[in-house]
Amino acid sequence: PERGLIIAIDGPAASGKGTLARRLAANFGLPHLDTGLLYRATACALLDEGRPLDDIRAAVEAARGLALCDFDEARLRTRELGEAASVVAAIPQVRAALIDMQRGFAGRPQGAVLDGRDIGTVICPQAPVKIFVTASAEKRAQRRALELASRGEKVDYAAVLADVRKRDERDSGRSQAPLKMAEDAVALDTTDLDIEAAYRAACEIVEERLALAGKV
Ligand code: CDP
Ligand code: CDP
């Protein structure tokens, strides 16, 4: 693709955004940023310091002090940190503290793939390709329960489904940068798509959007 292509991928928990973003990035030779990790790492820093998740000053300091290279994904991908991330992500000052680094990443000359909740709406509203990935709550809970189990975390499906629903509500209901589809995004429902089928559908969306934008 042409220089500077930005692909924005948003959607609710365990919809398959990250998997798609990684594969699209590899396919198009673009760097990838999983922005959920920023909120997970901010929450992790607070927990490690023994601070409550509503300590705004400490949360902003933690967000400003993040170093991407220090991320311990094994820890950040736990159920506990998914939940804690969505609590700190509702603090407007935390979101504000993370905007510049996300836009900086997206602004690199070679382009980028970013995935999260507000990439198409707030971080990169100019992105020519925006995909909004969804799947039923039940399917997402199933996937997340399998994923957590494969990471060695003991979880039961009912608890994970409750988590997914609570996170959907918190992420969609917050005042700042709520989870919502950008007007010019293309929806991709992966409820009945495996990873390969979802990836093929996403590639088609990218090609279509690029053709529309006159870029191929
Ligand atoms: O992988 P999963 O979708 O479960 O979570 P994540 O993408 O790692 O994001 C964890 C939490 O961070 C979400 O529930 C959101 O509250 C928050 N988040 C956000 O507010 N904005 C983003 N761009 C990315 C994540
Ligand atoms: O990033 P997000 O939380 O939206 O989801 P993910 O981390 O990409 O996917 C969550 C889990 O579902 C992973 O274990 C994926 O392998 C799996 N998955 C799937 O089974 N089928 C899909 N179409 C997409 C993801």
Side-chain angles (χ1 to χ4, degrees), residues 8 10 120 129-132 180-187 205 209:
D10 292 300
V129 181
K130 300 180 183 178
I131 304 179
F132 194 80
K180 84 170 195 258
M181 184 165 142
E183 272 178 31
D184 55 347
V186 179
I205 293 172
R209 299 309 293 183

Side-chain angles (χ1 to χ4, degrees), residues 13 17 35-36 40 86 89 95 117-118 144 167 171 174:
K17 313 174 290 297
T35 64
R40 287 172 184 261
S86 85
R95 305 200 70 83
R117 299 291 183 292
D118 62 342
R144 183 50 46 89
R167 211 125 71 77
D171 291 347
R174 70 185 174 219

Side-chain angles (χ1 to χ4, degrees), residues 11-20 22 34 40 77 115 117 133 140 143-144 146-147 150 167 190 193-196 198:
S15 53
K17 313 174 290 297
T19 304
L20 272 183
R22 267 191 302 280
D34 174 344
R40 287 172 184 261
R77 300 272 181 209
D115 75 280
R117 299 291 183 292
V133 189
R140 289 185 285 125
R143 291 176 182 163
R144 183 50 46 89
L146 271 176
E147 180 197 332
S150 79
R167 211 125 71 77
T190 70
L193 302 182
D194 64 14
I195 290 176
E196 190 56 37

Side-chain angles (χ1 to χ4, degrees), residues 121-141:
T121 50
V122 174
I123 302 298
C124 302
Q126 80 288 7
V129 181
K130 300 180 183 178
I131 304 179
F132 194 80
V133 189
T134 62
S136 72
E138 291 77 13
K139 195 53 169 274
R140 289 185 285 125

Side-chain angles (χ1 to χ4, degrees), residues 26-181:
N27 182 59
F28 290 96
L30 299 168
H32 166 227
L33 180 62
D34 174 344
T35 64
L37 286 179
L38 306 176
Y39 295 92
R40 287 172 184 261
T42 300
C44 189
L46 285 176
L47 296 178
D48 286 349
E49 290 166 18
R51 299 194 186 265
L53 294 173
D54 62 358
D55 183 334
I56 296 180
R57 195 196 283 247
V60 168
E61 208 171 298
R64 288 209 185 108
L66 291 184
L68 287 175
C69 53
D70 291 344
F71 284 5
D72 170 9
E73 280 206 41
R75 169 94 196 277
L76 296 183
R77 300 272 181 209
T78 57
R79 184 180 162 206
E80 178 195 25
L81 281 168
E83 167 69 18
S86 85
V87 174
V88 300
I91 304 173
Q93 295 92 325
V94 167
R95 305 200 70 83
L98 293 171
I99 285 185
D100 285 351
M101 77 99 72
Q102 293 175 84
R103 291 202 177 134
F105 190 95
R108 300 205 267 177
Q110 69 268 45
V113 181
L114 287 83
D115 75 280
R117 299 291 183 292
D118 62 342
I119 308 304
T121 50
V122 174
I123 302 298
C124 302
Q126 80 288 7
V129 181
K130 300 180 183 178
I131 304 179
F132 194 80
V133 189
T134 62
S136 72
E138 291 77 13
K139 195 53 169 274
R140 289 185 285 125
Q142 229 175 57
R143 291 176 182 163
R144 183 50 46 89
L146 271 176
E147 180 197 332
L148 290 171
S150 79
R151 292 179 183 281
E153 203 171 329
K154 288 197 178 52
V155 290
D156 69 283
Y157 168 77
V160 176
L161 178 59
D163 281 0
V164 158
R165 292 213 163 107
K166 183 155 50 135
R167 211 125 71 77
D168 283 358
E169 228 175 85
R170 200 185 283 127
D171 291 347
S172 307
R174 70 185 174 219
S175 62
Q176 201 83 28
L179 169 67
K180 84 170 195 258
M181 184 165 142

